Amino acid sequence: MSDLLERLRGRGWRMTSQRRVVAEVLDGDHVHLTADEVHARATQRLPEISRATVYNALGELVALGEVVEVTTDGRAKRYDPNAHHPHQHLVCCACGLIRDVHPTDDPLAGLPADERFGFAVSGVEVTYRGLCPDCA
């Protein structure tokens, strides 16, 4: 069973065939699919699944905190199932490919106390940009 499916079962998420297919499509490493890509892959497994059902399932997964919405440079939202493992993203500026990266430094350490302006910082998002090997 996939990591995402296992987490959802543990949370008691009602597992319909449509929801299962959406979760299966999202499962894996370096998965950052748009809703349309999720729908296209889901229809290969379950031809009768509707676009609305996919969007609803994605919305529920985001609300549960099991999937993270990733937006880069005004492109379509992408859905990242790697919600429980701290990571950053490496994005190709040409084709939009996104890869998960796990820097060893604490990104918050780079923000000096006097630059926090009194904020109680609860999270950091870092995006590395460049060209993937295919686009370089």
Side-chain angles (χ1 to χ4, degrees), residues 29-87:
D29 293 328
H30 306 287
V31 174
H32 303 92
L33 301 173
T34 65
D36 286 341
E37 290 169 335
V38 172
H39 180 252
R41 291 182 185 193
T43 56
Q44 292 173 354
R45 298 175 187 214
L46 190 66
E48 65 273 14
I49 192 168
S50 72
R51 187 176 307 276
T53 298
V54 169
Y55 274 88
N56 289 337
L58 290 171
E60 289 177 27
L61 291 170
V62 169
L64 285 171
E66 295 296 337
V67 172
V68 177
E69 285 181 344
V70 177
T71 307
T72 61
D73 297 338
R75 295 179 187 250
K77 289 180 193 172
R78 295 182 173 269
Y79 296 88
D80 182 352
N82 195 3
H84 295 279
H85 306 288
H87 66 283

Side-chain angles (χ1 to χ4, degrees), residues 91-106:
V91 179
C92 179
C93 296
C95 70
L97 175 70
I98 302 174
R99 301 289 293 193
D100 291 342
V101 293
H102 303 88
T104 55
D105 303 11
D106 174 9

Side-chain angles (χ1 to χ4, degrees), residues 1-7 9 15 20 27:
M1 182 174 7
S2 74
D3 183 46
L4 180 57
L5 283 172
E6 195 171 301
R7 291 191 328 247
R9 278 212 173 100
M15 195 64 67
R20 173 186 267 288
D27 193 56

